[in-house]
Amino acid sequence: MSPCVSRCEELTRASMIPRLTNGMFGPEGYRFEEVVDSTNRMAMTLAQEGAPHGTVVVADGQTGGRGRLGRSWASPPGVNLYFSMILKPELPLERVAMLTLLTGVALAECVTAAGLDGARLKWPNDLLHGGRKLGGILAEMTARGERARYVIVGVGLNVNGRATGFPADVAQRAVTMAEVLGRDSNRGEVLADFLHRFTGWYRCFLEEGFASVRAEWLGYARLTGGERVRVTTESGEVTGEALDLDERGCLMVRRGDGGILRVMTGEINFER
Ligand code: BTN
């Protein structure tokens, strides 16, 4: 058996079906591909063709993995998790960004449950360990009027192997679970655990609102209120202190002049 085939094994339908027991992501919606350009692209196509809520597209490797802000996502085969969930929530557009934060909470919980201490969430879509990137989330949406028609939530999680195997520009800023834990993890187990946790948070969010997700997110973000950040938004760059997450999921930043900026979309960098 080639190394790829044996490593893919843990993510195939046959391996995953017994693990997909939570209802929202059932066996019928599980799609596994050995190689695909981007699971987000494929999930979007499937959603357009009518694939139902709860479909999840998983690939062993991607040839054109996409990150936020037009970046690429290093996606070597055989080591990491790359997957995209098709969601069809009855949500007004302004609440869709909360799904990225909710996904972050499920991801942080999942790696913590796998034994990894010190996972941290960075607004809006990064999972970090020791300041390095362990995972990322890319949510893409199609709207119908004022509501989301479907949302594709893509997740990349660096599981096994070493980040030094990534392209040079990414390698220094990335880390894998294996590097922290000192051992490999079964990707199928990690994925099933994530889907289970995501389902719990998703139902809680739809039934009770954003408050619990926000509280949990803040726990993993560990904002100190004094941390200097540089925020890049569509209207330019602002420096200040990251203070809080508001009830809509916006990052609250205190500017130098004392004014509070609520950032809905953008990117933050910690300043040293
Ligand atoms: C980011 O941090 O910029 C987001 C990265 C998201 C990567 C995942 S891998 C699975 C899914 N398919 C993609 O093409 N992108 C997301």
Side-chain angles (χ1 to χ4, degrees), residues 8-242:
C8 289
E9 178 68 11
E10 59 201 19
L11 292 175
T12 57
R13 277 181 62 77
S15 302
M16 287 300 289
I17 281 172
R19 299 187 194 278
L20 298 171
T21 54
N22 75 35
M24 191 161 119
F25 297 102
E28 61 294 338
Y30 186 82
R31 291 282 301 253
F32 172 72
E33 303 288 329
E34 232 175 276
V35 188
V36 70
D37 54 351
S38 154
T39 57
N40 262 39
R41 200 273 314 142
M42 183 170 166
M44 184 62 87
T45 303
L46 289 173
Q48 280 158 358
E49 291 168 359
H53 173 87
T55 300
V56 56
V57 179
V58 182
D60 186 56
Q62 298 183 118
T63 53
R66 308 199 298 232
R68 270 182 87 236
L69 309 172
R71 296 180 187 134
S72 58
W73 184 259
S75 309
V79 281
N80 300 324
L81 278 172
Y82 318 108
F83 61 94
S84 302
M85 302 170 283
I86 299 179
L87 306 175
K88 300 192 170 175
E90 276 295 313
L91 276 188
L93 297 185
E94 66 274 12
R95 290 173 63 80
V96 170
M98 294 172 184
L99 291 175
T100 296
L101 302 168
L102 183 160
T103 306
V105 165
L107 205 52
E109 272 191 358
C110 169
V111 299
T112 304
L116 190 143
D117 284 335
R120 187 170 175 190
L121 290 170
K122 177 178 160 241
W123 189 90
N125 72 314
D126 287 342
L127 178 69
L128 305 179
H129 186 274
R132 299 212 217 168
K133 192 137 165 167
L134 187 61
I137 300 156
L138 176 65
E140 299 178 293
M141 179 190 64
T142 299
R144 181 186 283 134
E146 294 300 304
R147 297 186 96 75
R149 194 158 159 234
Y150 37 77
V151 184
I152 308 301
V153 180
V155 176
L157 180 65
N158 301 332
V159 182
N160 295 326
R162 303 185 73 81
T164 44
F166 288 166
D169 54 327
V170 184
Q172 288 178 347
R173 291 180 283 112
V175 67
T176 67
M177 286 174 67
E179 285 172 320
V180 182
L181 294 172
R183 60 175 163 78
D184 281 358
S185 302
N186 179 309
R187 288 178 293 160
E189 254 171 46
V190 176
L191 174 61
D193 185 56
F194 168 84
L195 293 174
H196 184 72
R197 292 173 190 282
F198 180 92
T199 300
W201 281 109
Y202 186 78
R203 289 183 174 150
C204 166
F205 170 61
L206 292 187
E207 283 161 24
E208 295 166 28
F210 183 57
S212 303
V213 175
R214 173 177 173 271
E216 197 71 9
W217 190 93
L218 282 167
Y220 281 110
R222 296 197 294 277
L223 298 174
T224 61
E227 206 152 34
R228 302 282 305 164
V229 291
R230 192 172 64 252
V231 188
T232 310
T233 69
E234 280 164 5
S235 45
E237 265 198 8
V238 183
T239 48
E241 295 164 21

